[in-house]
Amino acid sequence: MSDMFDLYYWPQIQGRGEFPRLVLEAARAPYRDVARLSEAEGGGIEAMMKRMEDAAHPPFAPPFLVRDGRLVSQAAEISAYLGERLGLAPETEAERLFARSVALTTADLVAEAHDTHHPVGTSLYYEDQREEAVRRAGEFRAQRMPKFLGWYERVATTNPARSGWLVGPAMTYADLGLFQVVEGLRYAFPRRMAAIEGRYRLAIAIRDRVAEHPAVARYLASPRRIPFNEDGIFRHYPELDAD
């Protein structure tokens, strides 16, 4: 069995691919970011699309992961698959099941954050749905951000291990996912996050501890970490932000 993991995702954005990428980086696992490679290296977007088309179990969309011919898709599923094989998942069955639930809830938050700037349709430009986006973002800031962040806070508070992490006694892929959404929300809604994140002391502490993890810190300081931009899931449009 090969130790190498092949991660397939769009090369210009963090997007949903960043969730499994953080697990790979935190675990110091050997991996190739295939769509970022040159054609000579067997990579590129065309290689990614061909792999999707030829798959016996085709993914709906990137990201997907391939190892030894086995394909795993969906960011939360990939993160769980990696975490459980690379030492970034809880040990007990109950905690492993709950960590998967946390990752799936994080995926729900990511989808809602995306829909603040594309509430009508993903095939339309933001400028074609700006009015609806302003209304959707207002509800997201007022209701959904506190609901999700408050839930993470509750999960950390009630963790029986009393570790300060979301699930179990040590950092897992669930914590890496929380780190990524806090970073994304800070980028997309800096005014709103500045106003409310003080309410979620434990959740923000998890974000800080993940950022200080040696392997994660090296990754964040490297060119492998693509900056947030207005082509990704978390986008900063000043008209969508407020205290």
Side-chain angles (χ1 to χ4, degrees):
M1 178 179 289
S2 171
D3 291 333
M4 181 64 67
F5 296 91
D6 281 347
L7 178 66
Y8 291 80
Y9 196 64
W10 307 109
Q12 311 93 337
I13 59 174
Q14 290 182 24
R16 291 174 175 85
E18 195 68 7
F19 293 88
R21 187 179 292 113
L22 280 166
V23 184
L24 289 162
E25 291 283 351
R28 300 180 180 89
Y31 77 99
R32 301 192 314 157
D33 224 322
V34 178
R36 295 192 198 180
L37 301 177
S38 67
E39 284 187 31
E41 296 171 300
I45 292 178
E46 288 188 8
M48 178 174 73
M49 302 309 292
K50 186 175 189 323
R51 192 60 189 255
M52 290 178 62
E53 292 168 5
D54 293 346
H57 302 108
F60 180 74
F64 59 95
L65 183 87
V66 176
R67 186 190 188 197
D68 289 328
R70 178 176 296 170
L71 188 150
V72 185
S73 61
Q74 292 287 356
E77 178 72 10
I78 303 168
S79 296
Y81 172 84
L82 290 170
E84 292 172 8
R85 285 156 180 80
L86 297 174
L88 287 169
E91 292 294 328
T92 71
E93 181 182 20
E95 288 177 335
R96 287 194 173 212
L97 291 171
F98 185 55
R100 293 177 200 172
S101 296
V102 173
L104 289 166
T105 303
T106 297
D108 290 342
L109 170 53
V110 170
E112 291 197 26
H114 169 272
D115 288 350
T116 61
H117 52 78
H118 275 72
V120 177
T122 57
S123 62
L124 302 175
Y125 290 110
Y126 167 67
E127 290 74 18
D128 297 326
Q129 48 196 313
R130 187 192 304 265
E131 183 177 344
E132 295 90 345
V134 169
R135 182 177 180 185
R136 180 67 174 263
E139 193 271 345
F140 181 74
R141 293 192 315 268
Q143 302 295 330
R144 305 303 287 170
M145 285 174 63
K147 187 176 182 67
F148 277 106
L149 292 172
W151 179 76
Y152 288 120
E153 188 77 3
R154 180 184 173 199
V155 169
T157 300
T158 59
N159 180 355
R162 297 292 186 263
S163 61
W165 299 109
L166 290 174
V167 190
M171 185 182 78
T172 70
Y173 66 90
D175 302 295
L176 293 163
L178 173 56
F179 165 84
Q180 180 63 11
V181 294
V182 169
E183 293 297 280
L185 291 173
R186 284 178 170 179
Y187 175 78
F189 304 100
R191 291 175 57 188
R192 182 58 172 159
M193 283 297 285
I196 68 172
E197 68 176 50
R199 307 174 193 171
Y200 312 110
R201 180 180 58 84
L202 291 179
I204 299 303
I206 289 172
R207 177 266 165 212
D208 294 342
R209 292 169 73 187
V210 169
E212 293 167 0
H213 183 278
V216 175
R218 281 195 294 272
Y219 166 63
L220 296 176
S222 78
R224 297 190 302 280
R225 172 76 164 182
I226 299 173
F228 287 104
N229 59 60
E230 274 55 69
D231 292 320
I233 292 171
F234 296 101
R235 304 185 187 184
H236 178 58
Y237 296 116
E239 62 270 25
L240 302 187
D241 192 18
D243 298 341

